[in-house]
Amino acid sequence: METTKRILVVDDEETLCDTLAFNLVAEGYEVDTAYSAEQALSLDLSTYDLALLDIMMGEISGIQLARIMKSNPATASVSIIFCTAKDSEEDMIKGLDLGADDYIMKPYSLKAVLARIRTVLRRTSLIQPSVPKDNDRYSYKGLVLSARNRICTVDGNEVKMPKKEFEILLKLLSNIGQVFTRQQLLRDIWTDEVVVLDRVVDVNITRIRQKIGSYGKNIVTRSGYGYGFIE
């Protein structure tokens, strides 16, 4: 039997926060609310499957809260959707670069929010089973990934990676020698996204290569096809 998904709603607009929580409970989710990032940080964030974060809050913004969560191995795998009225491209890019899963603009319809939540949770459930439960670690020499804790280390030093970068590297490293097309990577990592350009894969691969040092050369490009991790 599938475990009920737990969602945390963080927004300083209390009425909006409570209304959204009420409707999520009606959909069958377990829901907690926090009216500030500070209040959210007093909770055990590792127990949630997904967090809905407003960006513009008090002392600590939603972006800062997401950064804190992604930098902590215990909460790095919690899915994040930003719900915000701030619509600049810069803020959207910041959020997605941190590893956020989606970005919803206010005012939004409840139906749209519920659809986005279902999509993100379904994508997460599809990705997680692809990692064998009896094999938490994938490695090549000094490059080591912990699938369970979402931690990447290079020659003993931890390297911070947003969620999408980690998932791409995990897919490549757990299938050494196999080359994946851009479309395969988009389908498996960005499941059910409405519009994602092939270039997104290229940008993430470039960032991964930069972060894993000398092991970056093991991620090869097959012209006109895609990418693979080769020994």
Side-chain angles (χ1 to χ4, degrees), residues 148-192:
R148 183 178 297 110
N149 296 322
R150 297 319 222 211
I151 294 175
C152 171
T153 58
V154 176
D155 297 330
N157 299 309
E158 184 176 345
V159 175
K160 302 296 184 184
M161 281 191 180
K163 187 174 183 179
K164 293 294 189 292
E165 290 178 19
F166 185 92
E167 289 171 356
I168 291 172
L169 183 56
L170 178 60
K171 186 168 188 65
L172 298 182
L173 192 60
S174 60
N175 294 277
I176 290 178
Q178 183 174 347
V179 176
F180 295 93
T181 66
R182 291 174 177 81
Q183 286 303 315
Q184 284 177 310
L185 292 172
L186 286 173
R187 182 196 64 209
D188 294 344
I189 307 299
W190 283 269
T191 309
D192 293 334

Side-chain angles (χ1 to χ4, degrees), residues 66-82:
R67 185 175 290 115
I68 291 169
M69 292 176 67
K70 292 302 179 183
S71 65
N72 182 348
T75 55
S77 62
V78 177
S79 297
I80 291 176
I81 297 177
F82 283 117

Side-chain angles (χ1 to χ4, degrees), residues 1-6 28-30 49:
M1 185 176 179
E2 188 176 353
T3 305
T4 302
K5 299 296 185 181
R6 302 194 71 231
Y29 299 110
E30 288 185 20
D49 298 288

Side-chain angles (χ1 to χ4, degrees), residues 43-220:
L43 304 172
D44 184 357
L45 297 176
S46 67
T47 64
Y48 297 99
D49 298 288
L50 183 145
L52 286 165
L53 308 181
D54 183 33
I55 283 186
M56 298 299 291
M57 293 189 283
E59 293 290 323
I60 302 177
S61 70
I63 292 285
Q64 291 171 305
L65 176 56
R67 185 175 290 115
I68 291 169
M69 292 176 67
K70 292 302 179 183
S71 65
N72 182 348
T75 55
S77 62
V78 177
S79 297
I80 291 176
I81 297 177
F82 283 117
C83 295
T84 180
K86 193 163 187 178
D87 58 358
S88 75
E89 185 179 18
E90 182 181 349
D91 286 296
M92 181 176 71
I93 291 172
K94 278 182 182 178
L96 296 176
D97 277 350
L98 283 172
D101 296 85
D102 211 337
Y103 195 99
I104 304 173
M105 304 309 305
K106 295 178 181 177
Y108 47 72
S109 72
L110 179 63
K111 185 179 293 186
V113 175
L114 293 174
R116 298 289 186 91
I117 289 172
R118 284 194 295 269
T119 295
V120 169
L121 290 175
R122 181 167 65 249
R123 180 168 66 237
T124 303
S125 66
L126 286 172
I127 290 171
Q128 296 294 344
S130 66
V131 179
K133 293 182 179 179
D134 59 348
N135 191 359
D136 171 56
R137 284 165 52 90
Y138 292 91
S139 63
Y140 173 76
K141 298 183 179 178
L143 174 62
V144 181
L145 297 186
S146 170
R148 183 178 297 110
N149 296 322
R150 297 319 222 211
I151 294 175
C152 171
T153 58
V154 176
D155 297 330
N157 299 309
E158 184 176 345
V159 175
K160 302 296 184 184
M161 281 191 180
K163 187 174 183 179
K164 293 294 189 292
E165 290 178 19
F166 185 92
E167 289 171 356
I168 291 172
L169 183 56
L170 178 60
K171 186 168 188 65
L172 298 182
L173 192 60
S174 60
N175 294 277
I176 290 178
Q178 183 174 347
V179 176
F180 295 93
T181 66
R182 291 174 177 81
Q183 286 303 315
Q184 284 177 310
L185 292 172
L186 286 173
R187 182 196 64 209
D188 294 344
I189 307 299
W190 283 269
T191 309
D192 293 334
E193 294 278 352
V194 178
V195 178
V196 183
L197 302 177
D198 287 1
R199 184 175 174 276
V200 171
V201 175
D202 301 335
V203 170
N204 278 273
I205 290 289
T206 298
R207 290 174 178 166
I208 293 169
R209 282 173 171 154
Q210 293 170 345
K211 290 180 180 180
I212 62 176
S214 62
Y215 303 107
K217 68 180 183 298
N218 295 98
I219 299 179
V220 298

